[in-house]
Amino acid sequence: MRLFVSEGVPGCLPVLAAAGRARGRAEVLISTVGPEDCVVPFLTRPKVPVLQLDSGNYLFSTSAICRYFFLLSGWEQDDLTNQWLEWEATELQRS
C-alpha cells in the first residue's frame, strides 16, 4: 500500500495516526507530495490524503482511510470512533 500525504493538509494527520496503529500488520509506504499534485488519475482535482491499495484501487476519504487502517490493526470501531471521524470531517475539513 502507498499512502500519499501533504504537509499542512488537515486530513493527513488523523490518517497518519491511524496508519501508525496498523504498523506491523501491513506494509505502508508513506509518500509526501505537494497539495496540488494529482495522485488519483481519475479525479479532476488534486486530493490528499490518498491510500493506494495493493489492488490498485484508491481510498481518498480521510474517514475511509482511517477505518481501513483500524480494521487492519484489529481495533474494533465503536460509536465514539465513528463520532470522532465524522466530527473531524465536518468541523476540521470544511471546504
Side-chain angles (χ1 to χ4, degrees):
M1 284 182 284
R2 189 168 179 189
L3 178 62
F4 297 92
V5 295
S6 182
E7 291 184 22
V9 176
C12 292
L13 185 60
V15 164
L16 287 169
R21 290 196 63 92
R23 184 174 295 146
R25 298 191 183 196
E27 186 175 328
V28 180
L29 173 65
I30 299 174
S31 299
T32 303
V33 297
E36 297 302 318
D37 291 345
C38 194
V39 177
V40 182
F42 53 83
L43 291 181
T44 57
R45 295 186 321 178
K47 174 80 172 115
V48 284
V50 170
L51 180 64
Q52 183 180 18
L53 303 175
D54 293 334
S55 65
N57 291 329
Y58 294 90
L59 297 177
F60 43 88
S61 157
T62 299
S63 295
I65 296 168
C66 288
R67 286 184 174 105
Y68 186 80
F69 282 133
F70 292 158
L71 287 172
L72 285 179
S73 70
W75 186 26
E76 190 172 323
Q77 298 176 54
D78 57 11
D79 289 341
L80 189 58
T81 303
N82 290 326
Q83 183 180 358
W84 168 70
L85 288 171
E86 290 304 316
W87 174 83
E88 192 271 338
T90 58
E91 296 297 322
L92 297 183
Q93 295 188 39
R94 291 185 177 176
S95 299

